């Protein structure tokens, strides 16, 4: 029927097909409901895995033919009410609507010209019950709803929420535009953290409060101790100089007494150094965040790579959950 399904067949240690276990998605499990005894019988009688797969395909095709769409149409009042609400709101604000008229995506623009989307998932009791609202915001979006409410009310509440977050996004846009942000690579509007390059193998991880974006953010420095410790000291000593009237980025520059590397002069590759063990930048989503403290070395490593490397060295020693050993690059 032109549909793809993923299954996993777990064979026992003796590789006997009759004792195999089948794992699949809940959707496929639902389709094959009632065919379990046939599948068990096929597992027992099929000589090999290939012939079982052929029989499984046959069983699945029969099951799909017998699976009728049990979706009952929603009451006509639902559709007439929904179409009326969309017309009041304006079709120009709709970017997507599914064929069943149950999922609608609306676009909105804040006062700074930033584009935003809100996805509404409706149920048959609309407008008595509100739709589920999916938004890309850093704070919870709670809709105020009565049976008399409409899509226009949700849309206006969404616009109000966007305006409340204007200062937060101004702050994040300035950081993204004027510094080298290494993480996240493509930040969503809900992302509150940024990992910013300060220098070669020196980063600061900041977490901004979306409701108080002009306040001092959570700061966590990554890099060799001889570089990071002076930065921590400056931040602690100058914390009282934080001025909520100027931008967060300017405050960080003043407190740390630094200039963030310019996007105009340097490339991202100047900071995003690969791990000295696996020679990759990303490993299962993680980036190299362990840096050798030797000033002439400063080579970064993934924590997992470094741990595995040090565990294999006879000269390494471990105390509780900390492992000590020599740098794979400079042997310090």
């Amino acid at each position: 029927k032109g549909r793809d399904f993923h299954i996993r067949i777990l064979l026992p240690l003796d590789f006997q097909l009759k004792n195999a276990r089948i794992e699949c998605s809940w959707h496929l499990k639902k389709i094959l409901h009632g065919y379990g005894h046939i599948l068990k019988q096929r597992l027992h009688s099929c000589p090999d895995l290939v012939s079982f797969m052929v029989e499984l395909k046959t069983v699945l095709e029969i099951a799909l033919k017998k699976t009728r769409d049990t979706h009952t149409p929603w009451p006509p009042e639902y559709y007439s009410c929904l179409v009326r609400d969309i017309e009041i709101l304006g079709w120009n604000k709709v970017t997507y609507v599914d064929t069943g008229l149950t999922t609608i995506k609306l676009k909105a623009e804040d006062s700074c010209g930033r584009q935003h989307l809100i996805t509404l998932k409706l149920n048959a009791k609309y407008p008595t019950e509100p739709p589920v609202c999916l938004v890309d915001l850093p704070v919870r979006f709670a809709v105020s709803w009565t049976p008399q409410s409409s899509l226009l009310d949700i849309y206006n509440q969404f616009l109000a929420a966007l305006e409340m977050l204007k200062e937060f996004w101004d702050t994040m846009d300035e950081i993204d535009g004027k510094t080298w942000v290494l993480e996240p690579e493509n930040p969503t509007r809900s992302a509150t953290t940024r990992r910013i390059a300060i220098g070669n193998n020196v980063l600061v991880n900041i977490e901004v409060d979306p409701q108080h974006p002009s306040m001092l953010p959570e700061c966590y420095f990554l890099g060799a101790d001889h570089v990071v410790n002076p930065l921590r000291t400056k931040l602690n000593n100058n914390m009282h100089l934080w001025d909520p009237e100027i931008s967060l980025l300017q405050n960080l520059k003043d407190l740390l007494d630094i200039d963030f590397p310019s996007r105009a002069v340097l490339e991202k590759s100047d900071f995003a150094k690969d791990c000295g063990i696996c020679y990759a930048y990303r490993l299962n989503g993680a980036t190299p965040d362990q840096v050798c403290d030797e000033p002439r070395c400063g080579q970064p490593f993934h924590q997992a790579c470094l741990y595995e490397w040090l565990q294999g060295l006879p000269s390494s020693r471990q105390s509780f959950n900390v492992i000590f050993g020599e740098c794979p690059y400079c042997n310090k």
Side-chain angles (χ1 to χ4, degrees):
K1 287 197 168 288
R3 290 163 71 179
D4 286 328
F5 296 96
H6 288 210
I7 68 159
R8 179 186 288 159
I9 297 176
L10 301 171
L11 292 169
L13 292 172
D14 59 4
F15 292 104
Q16 291 291 311
L17 198 60
K18 63 182 180 183
N19 297 323
R21 211 165 82 242
I22 301 172
E23 289 182 357
C24 61
S25 67
W26 65 269
H27 183 61
L28 181 56
K29 198 175 270 189
K30 196 174 162 187
I31 293 167
L32 290 172
H33 181 68
Y35 293 86
H37 64 290
I38 295 173
L39 293 179
K40 274 184 187 171
Q41 190 187 46
R42 297 295 85 206
L43 277 172
H44 271 79
S45 58
C46 284
D48 54 46
L49 195 56
V50 177
S51 56
F52 172 72
M53 289 301 293
V54 172
E55 299 220 8
L56 173 62
K57 188 166 175 265
T58 308
V59 171
L60 180 54
E61 285 183 348
I62 293 165
L64 281 169
K65 275 179 191 168
K66 290 189 177 178
T67 304
R68 291 190 181 89
D69 188 7
T70 55
H71 175 71
T72 52
W74 289 358
E77 301 78 40
Y78 165 82
Y79 299 103
S80 59
C81 180
L82 181 61
V83 171
R84 186 196 68 224
D85 282 359
I86 294 174
E87 286 182 345
I88 293 168
L89 176 66
W91 284 98
N92 60 327
K93 295 182 176 70
V94 178
T95 61
Y96 168 84
V97 59
D98 69 342
T99 50
L101 287 179
T102 58
T103 302
I104 299 169
K105 289 184 182 180
L106 305 174
K107 62 180 176 181
E109 193 176 282
D110 63 27
S111 56
C112 291
R114 287 180 283 251
Q115 298 291 323
H116 303 270
L117 284 177
I118 177 168
T119 301
L120 308 176
K121 292 190 175 289
L122 300 101
N123 65 41
K125 293 182 180 175
Y126 177 86
T128 309
E129 291 182 5
V132 174
C133 302
L134 306 173
V135 291
D136 186 20
L137 303 181
V139 293
R140 186 169 166 267
F141 179 61
V143 174
S144 176
W145 187 266
T146 68
Q148 291 73 44
S149 297
S150 68
L151 295 187
L152 185 60
D153 295 305
I154 290 181
Y155 192 77
N156 288 334
Q157 289 175 51
F158 184 51
L159 287 176
L162 297 182
E163 286 314 298
M164 284 175 64
L165 291 161
K166 175 185 173 297
E167 194 186 341
F168 167 72
W169 285 320
D170 286 345
T171 299
M172 301 315 257
D173 284 353
E174 186 188 17
I175 291 168
D176 293 339
K178 293 184 178 177
T179 69
W180 275 115
V181 173
L182 303 187
E183 297 284 324
E185 279 190 332
N186 299 301
T188 59
R189 286 290 173 202
S190 58
T192 57
T193 60
R194 294 291 188 274
R195 187 172 286 188
I196 309 167
I198 296 177
N200 197 7
N201 298 331
V202 188
L203 312 166
V204 61
N205 207 68
I206 65 166
E207 174 138 12
V208 181
D209 183 346
Q211 290 169 326
H212 305 98
S214 60
M215 303 306 286
L216 176 66
E218 291 276 336
C219 294
Y220 176 66
F221 295 98
L222 296 157
D225 285 348
H226 71 278
V227 182
V228 160
N229 287 340
L231 290 169
R232 284 200 194 106
T233 305
K234 278 181 188 173
L235 184 66
N236 290 334
N237 291 345
N238 298 332
M239 221 178 262
H240 64 284
L241 299 173
W242 188 272
D243 183 358
E245 298 302 314
I246 62 174
S247 77
L248 182 146
L249 190 60
Q250 190 57 52
N251 266 311
L252 283 176
K253 286 180 183 178
D254 295 345
L255 264 65
L256 298 173
D257 191 24
I258 57 166
D259 265 327
F260 287 97
S262 166
R263 290 178 71 93
V265 180
L266 297 158
E267 292 297 319
K268 189 174 181 177
S269 55
D270 294 324
F271 312 105
K273 292 283 190 290
D274 294 341
C275 169
I277 294 169
C278 73
Y279 300 109
Y281 182 62
R282 263 177 210 291
L283 179 72
N284 299 329
T287 54
D289 61 358
Q290 304 296 312
V291 180
C292 175
D293 286 336
E294 170 61 36
R296 287 169 297 180
C297 178
Q299 175 65 40
F301 306 95
H302 293 117
Q303 187 168 313
C305 294
L306 195 57
Y307 183 73
E308 201 173 314
W309 175 277
L310 293 174
Q311 268 196 319
L313 293 179
S315 58
S316 298
R317 61 188 179 86
Q318 189 157 351
S319 172
F320 297 104
N321 64 335
V322 181
I323 193 163
F324 302 85
E326 295 171 354
C327 169
Y329 257 57
C330 69
N331 295 329
K332 290 289 166 71

